[in-house]
């Protein structure tokens, strides 16, 4: 039983570490989603500014500057999308690892419960044997 308890504690520790790794991956994923939204929002705002300036009249150098900056924002958006995709893949991997660890813990718990039930059965049989012995002795004493 001691070995099962040690194994159970070990697997619980591994599950806790897997859970923490999953949480870190989920935080990173959410941060990447926020970054992508920020870049997209900024690009939209910059496009709005370009549109307003175009209506008022804009020289070609300023237009080129706006256009180049929007291209940089598009590039940044692509980079964040790549990071977001990688972060999502990591979340999926960490979740799978955590679920596998949960299954290991459940297996060890099942073994522990079976072992406890077997030990309880042995203890119950010993107790019943003791009561039977006492009853037999009382019966013998009464007959004398």
């Amino acid at each position: 039983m001691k070995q099962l308890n040690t194994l159970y504690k070990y697997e619980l520790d591994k599950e806790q570490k897997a859970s923490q790794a999953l949480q870190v991956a989920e935080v990173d994923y959410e941060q990447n989603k926020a970054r992508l939204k920020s870049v997209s929002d900024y690009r939209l705002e910059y496009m709005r500014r370009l549109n307003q300036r175009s209506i008022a009249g804009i020289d070609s150098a300023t237009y080129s500057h706006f256009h180049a900056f929007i291209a940089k924002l598009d590039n940044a958006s692509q980079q964040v999308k790549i990071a977001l995709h990688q972060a999502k893949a990591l979340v999926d991997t960490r979740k799978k690892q955590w679920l596998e660890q949960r299954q290991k813990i459940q297996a060890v718990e099942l073994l522990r419960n079976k072992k406890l039930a077997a030990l309880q059965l042995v203890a119950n049989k010993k107790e019943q044997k003791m009561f039977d012995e006492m009853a037999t002795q009382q019966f013998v004493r009464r007959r004398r």
Side-chain angles (χ1 to χ4, degrees), residues 95-111:
K95 188 171 189 173
K96 182 180 175 206
Q97 291 170 341
W98 176 76
L99 288 172
E100 288 172 355
Q101 190 56 39
R102 278 300 310 149
Q103 288 178 337
K104 286 181 184 180
I105 288 173
Q106 290 170 346
V108 172
E109 285 174 342
L110 183 64
L111 286 174

Side-chain angles (χ1 to χ4, degrees), residues 50-109:
L50 174 60
N51 189 36
Q52 288 174 347
R53 296 274 303 265
S54 295
I55 291 170
I58 190 171
D59 62 72
S60 65
T62 305
Y63 179 80
S64 294
H65 173 73
F66 269 92
H67 197 354
F69 190 70
I70 290 169
K72 287 180 183 179
L73 289 174
D74 288 342
N75 186 37
S77 179
Q78 286 299 332
Q79 296 300 316
V80 173
K81 283 179 184 177
I82 291 168
L84 183 66
H85 179 72
Q86 290 172 342
K88 178 64 175 152
L90 185 60
V91 165
D92 293 343
T93 299
R94 296 289 189 236
K95 188 171 189 173
K96 182 180 175 206
Q97 291 170 341
W98 176 76
L99 288 172
E100 288 172 355
Q101 190 56 39
R102 278 300 310 149
Q103 288 178 337
K104 286 181 184 180
I105 288 173
Q106 290 170 346
V108 172
E109 285 174 342

